[in-house]
Amino acid sequence: MEEEIVILVQHSGGWDNEHNFNNFIVDGLTLKESSNLDTILDEITKILGIYASMDTIEIKYSVKQNYTPMKIYNNRSLRWYLDLKRKSCFTDFPLCITLKEKNCDEILSNSIPNNSTSNSSQDMQLVQRVQLTQSLMPIHGNYSRDEIEIDEDGIIDNRFHKYIKEGQLYMKKEILQDVVNHIAIKENFQFKVKRSSSTRYYLVCVDDQCSWHATSKFVGGLITSNVDDPKTIYTPADIQRDIRKQYGVDLNYMKAWRAKEKALEILRGKPRDSYRKLPSYLYMVRHTNPGSVTRLEKAEDGRFLYAYVALYASIKGWEYCMPVVVVDGSFLKAAYRGTILTACTQDAAGKILPLAFAVVDSENDASWKWFLERIRETYGTREGMSIVSDRHESILNATSVVYPGVPHCVCLYHLWGNVKKNFRKHHKILRKIFFAMANAYTIEEFDQYMAETYRIDKRVKEYLFDIGYHRWSIAHSNVNRFMVMTSNIAESVNAADKEARDLPIYDLLDYLMKMIGRWNNTNRNEAIATGTTLSTKYEDLMREKMKESQGMTVTPSTEYLYTVYDSGRRHVVNMREKICTCRRFQMDVMPCKHALAIVRKYYMNEYEYCSIYYKKNNLLNTYEVPVYPIPDESIWEIPPDVIADIVLPPKGKIKPGRPQKIRHKNSGESRRKKSRITCGLCGQQDHNRQTCRNIPQAA
């Protein structure tokens, strides 16, 4: 494979008299050994945001302090530089780029066509001269006030400006190009670019009768508002319909698809540029939300490895939530792929509180270990803490190393998926028994269901035993799971950020932060509106248990020890220790129906026997700290050392074609059933007309 060379780029600065390059902005680019001058000019164009050619820029590099810098001006000088750079490190011999001052009047005189040589039958008419600037800055240099007429609307920055005339001033060349393209579609004519520079744009009309076809880039500029929200479904077919309706132009499907890609690029930039924003963005997360924890991991060559974010609002809220952490991973669909890892918990209302998220290369032992180490650094280890996840092998390996003393529980639904796959013959009968067995609170009840399972299929018992009963059974659990038996809350987070997984990494992290802010605000408002001691979910649950306690007989033994008779069964309840022989009292950390029978008879306060993790006060404290939004990027104040931190995209090429949108199902997950063939003659399934044998043969 051809070697790539990573180069440090310094631009927007200037050389002093001692041959030092000062007041520059730092960036980076990657070139292959076979790159030519056109390649490096394309890369510099992307960095500067303006068209770069040897007529408009100057590329130099310093080989020694106080020594005249070397200049790159052709392919030979570039080849010599790449050979030198290949043997050096990333920070050696940075490219220093400056813009040349050019006489635009000279460009104008050279760009006017000679009418005497034009063909009268195919005469090209020169479109009116249009002037532009690259940015909002004072007019100076070679221009005088008489030469430039400012449009009555001022400097034009509207891509949908309705007319063009001589003397107009545009903010950017790209805006002018879009205006011309838009008018060309409206007026149904085609043009050619005769000459283009950084300050002037010369066009000639081709023929009034020729049909105009919009480019994918221009159409992309028209539809940006339709693809701004990741949740909006705007297909190439929708683009074809809208462009046909508004402009009377027919686009083929692939051009419409490319137009959507161009629109996303206009909104969010190129995917690789997103990685360069990460140091500044993570700095702003910590700056606007003091106490937040972020981490950025890079390879030795400066390429991205991992990024981690835990907001202070979540760190503070964790103190008032159940000590159950649910972790999960989901693949990304953006250009460089990758995986997003999430950790979350439940608040006192049973709602999701995201604790942290990270973007990594894939779900492997190294990435999960790194993520869980960051979780441990941020949140520590609490008494009674447990971790719930699916049966991904890397999660099992990482938790055993990072949290050796913390129980690791298995999601019931993922475990059932594995049982269903491995023992498909009896899965319909096993399903009900399996979930009843997992949710049994006593060993006796568990053993009854296991015996029934053994009679159906002997192999199931051995399979579940190897996994470990304590990982999925309440009866064998050595920690309180607070009724959290699945990783559904993590799956809910994955469903909520499904559309955002198409976004470049910078936009993805920003989307997740905004999502957490919205959720926290909604949950805070619901907490304030709660009028009961417990949150609504657990208040309703206790009311149901209170109804079930009616008709039970209570016999006291002491002031805290009671016997409760329930449908002929006898249960012993210790109100002081908050335990019952049914084991629901101690495992759910909430009065069971037998304890509530005692509460009802002796007028006790049932809330005294509930965990604080179900109460309104904890719910309010969970959302005491808000998520502070990050201001617009244009007003960020970033320290120089953060700006100088260059992050390159991950190694590897972007795969051609459309990115994968649907994750391949693993062995333990359900797949959509294949549609069955139905015969058009006899109406029966699993065969067609040609193979049908149900029609009587003619005599």
Side-chain angles (χ1 to χ4, degrees), residues 52 130 148 184 190 283 323 502 538 545 550 585 650 669 687:
V130 184
I148 298 181
Q190 190 176 16
Y283 168 83
D502 280 323
Y538 297 106
K545 292 182 179 181
Q550 295 177 358
F585 199 172
E669 296 178 282
H687 67 273

Side-chain angles (χ1 to χ4, degrees), residues 2 4-5 7 29-47 52-54 57 59 72 74-75 78-79 82 95 97 272:
E2 188 176 358
E4 292 185 338
I5 302 174
I7 300 172
L29 58 83
T30 303
L31 294 178
K32 294 183 179 179
E33 284 187 301
S34 61
S35 298
N36 55 28
L37 195 61
D38 290 337
T39 304
I40 193 172
L41 289 175
D42 288 342
E43 293 296 326
I44 293 174
T45 294
K46 297 170 184 175
I47 292 174
S53 69
M54 299 312 297
I57 66 168
I59 311 172
I72 296 177
N74 57 19
N75 286 325
L78 174 61
R79 177 62 44 219
L82 292 176
L95 288 182
I97 301 171
R272 65 178 180 181

Side-chain angles (χ1 to χ4, degrees), residues 575-606:
M575 299 297 287
R576 178 183 293 175
E577 299 295 331
K578 301 179 182 178
I579 59 175
C580 176
T581 53
C582 76
R583 298 191 78 242
R584 291 179 179 269
F585 199 172
Q586 54 268 42
M587 295 305 296
D588 294 346
V589 202
M590 173 184 284
C592 61
K593 59 183 178 179
H594 310 116
L596 289 174
I598 300 169
V599 167
R600 175 194 293 274
K601 181 173 181 178
Y602 294 99
Y603 303 102
M604 298 178 180
N605 183 356
E606 62 269 33

Side-chain angles (χ1 to χ4, degrees), residues 171-225:
M171 180 182 291
K172 293 181 180 180
K173 184 175 182 177
E174 290 81 4
I175 294 175
L176 170 58
Q177 290 171 324
D178 282 347
V179 169
V180 174
N181 286 334
H182 189 269
I183 295 175
I185 289 182
K186 282 287 189 181
E187 301 298 330
N188 194 29
F189 72 88
Q190 190 176 16
F191 64 86
K192 287 185 178 180
V193 179
K194 184 69 176 178
R195 182 165 297 188
S196 174
S197 71
S198 61
T199 55
R200 298 176 189 264
Y201 195 44
Y202 299 94
L203 311 174
V204 291
C205 183
V206 177
D207 189 341
D208 289 339
Q209 301 301 319
C210 67
S211 60
W212 164 252
H213 297 282
T215 64
S216 58
K217 180 178 180 181
F218 179 67
V219 175
L222 298 176
I223 63 172
T224 52
S225 60

Side-chain angles (χ1 to χ4, degrees), residues 496-511:
D497 64 26
K498 179 180 178 181
E499 292 79 10
R501 297 203 295 271
D502 280 323
L503 301 176
I505 185 169
Y506 164 83
D507 301 276
L508 171 64
L509 297 180
D510 194 47
Y511 181 95

Side-chain angles (χ1 to χ4, degrees), residues 449-688:
Y449 288 117
M450 182 59 76
E452 192 173 349
T453 301
Y454 186 80
R455 285 193 297 270
I456 297 171
D457 194 327
K458 298 179 181 180
R459 300 170 299 165
V460 177
K461 180 178 180 179
E462 182 180 356
Y463 178 80
L464 295 175
F465 178 81
D466 291 341
I467 294 172
Y469 292 163
H470 65 285
R471 293 185 182 275
W472 55 273
S473 164
I474 294 179
H476 292 85
S477 178
N478 48 21
V479 66
N480 289 337
R481 292 178 63 168
F482 294 89
M483 294 178 270
V484 181
M485 298 300 295
T486 69
S487 59
N488 282 357
I489 60 174
E491 298 288 351
S492 297
V493 174
N494 291 339
D497 64 26
K498 179 180 178 181
E499 292 79 10
R501 297 203 295 271
D502 280 323
L503 301 176
I505 185 169
Y506 164 83
D507 301 276
L508 171 64
L509 297 180
D510 194 47
Y511 181 95
L512 292 173
M513 182 176 175
K514 293 175 182 176
M515 183 185 76
I516 294 174
R518 291 196 308 271
W519 286 6
N520 283 18
N521 180 61
T522 300
N523 295 340
R524 182 190 303 108
N525 292 336
E526 291 183 4
I528 294 172
T530 301
T532 53
T533 303
L534 303 183
S535 67
T536 303
K537 174 182 177 179
Y538 297 106
E539 188 75 33
D540 293 342
L541 182 60
M542 194 160 66
R543 295 279 74 82
E544 288 297 321
K545 292 182 179 181
M546 186 70 79
K547 292 178 183 179
E548 295 176 5
S549 69
Q550 295 177 358
M552 295 183 183
T553 303
V554 178
T555 302
S557 296
T558 66
E559 69 278 6
Y560 61 86
L561 199 61
Y562 301 86
T563 302
V564 179
Y565 296 90
D566 175 18
S567 301
R569 293 182 61 89
R570 182 167 53 189
H571 297 275
V572 178
V573 183
N574 188 326
M575 299 297 287
R576 178 183 293 175
E577 299 295 331
K578 301 179 182 178
I579 59 175
C580 176
T581 53
C582 76
R583 298 191 78 242
R584 291 179 179 269
F585 199 172
Q586 54 268 42
M587 295 305 296
D588 294 346
V589 202
M590 173 184 284
C592 61
K593 59 183 178 179
H594 310 116
L596 289 174
I598 300 169
V599 167
R600 175 194 293 274
K601 181 173 181 178
Y602 294 99
Y603 303 102
M604 298 178 180
N605 183 356
E606 62 269 33
Y607 300 114
E608 293 181 3
Y609 302 97
C610 292
S611 169
I612 59 173
Y613 299 128
Y614 302 137
K615 295 184 177 180
K616 176 184 175 179
N617 289 341
N618 263 44
L619 185 59
L620 291 171
N621 291 333
T622 300
Y623 302 105
E624 181 181 6
V625 177
V627 176
Y628 293 95
I630 295 179
D632 186 77
E633 188 177 350
S634 61
I635 60 173
W636 289 2
E637 295 181 2
I638 309 297
D641 60 315
V642 177
I643 297 176
D645 187 8
I646 304 299
V647 181
L648 300 176
K651 229 169 191 178
K653 295 182 179 179
I654 299 177
K655 295 181 180 180
R658 300 186 184 184
Q660 177 188 339
K661 301 296 183 182
I662 301 176
R663 178 173 62 90
H664 297 303
K665 299 286 187 179
N666 62 38
S667 58
E669 296 178 282
S670 61
R671 291 178 171 87
R672 178 184 295 179
K673 293 183 179 179
K674 294 182 179 179
S675 58
R676 300 180 66 180
I677 299 173
T678 303
C679 177
L681 295 177
C682 69
Q684 296 187 18
Q685 294 181 328
D686 298 329
H687 67 273
N688 57 25

Side-chain angles (χ1 to χ4, degrees), residues 388-404:
V388 181
S389 73
D390 60 22
R391 295 192 62 235
H392 197 288
E393 186 176 354
S394 293
I395 303 179
L396 299 174
N397 296 337
T399 52
S400 63
V401 174
V402 181
Y403 287 104

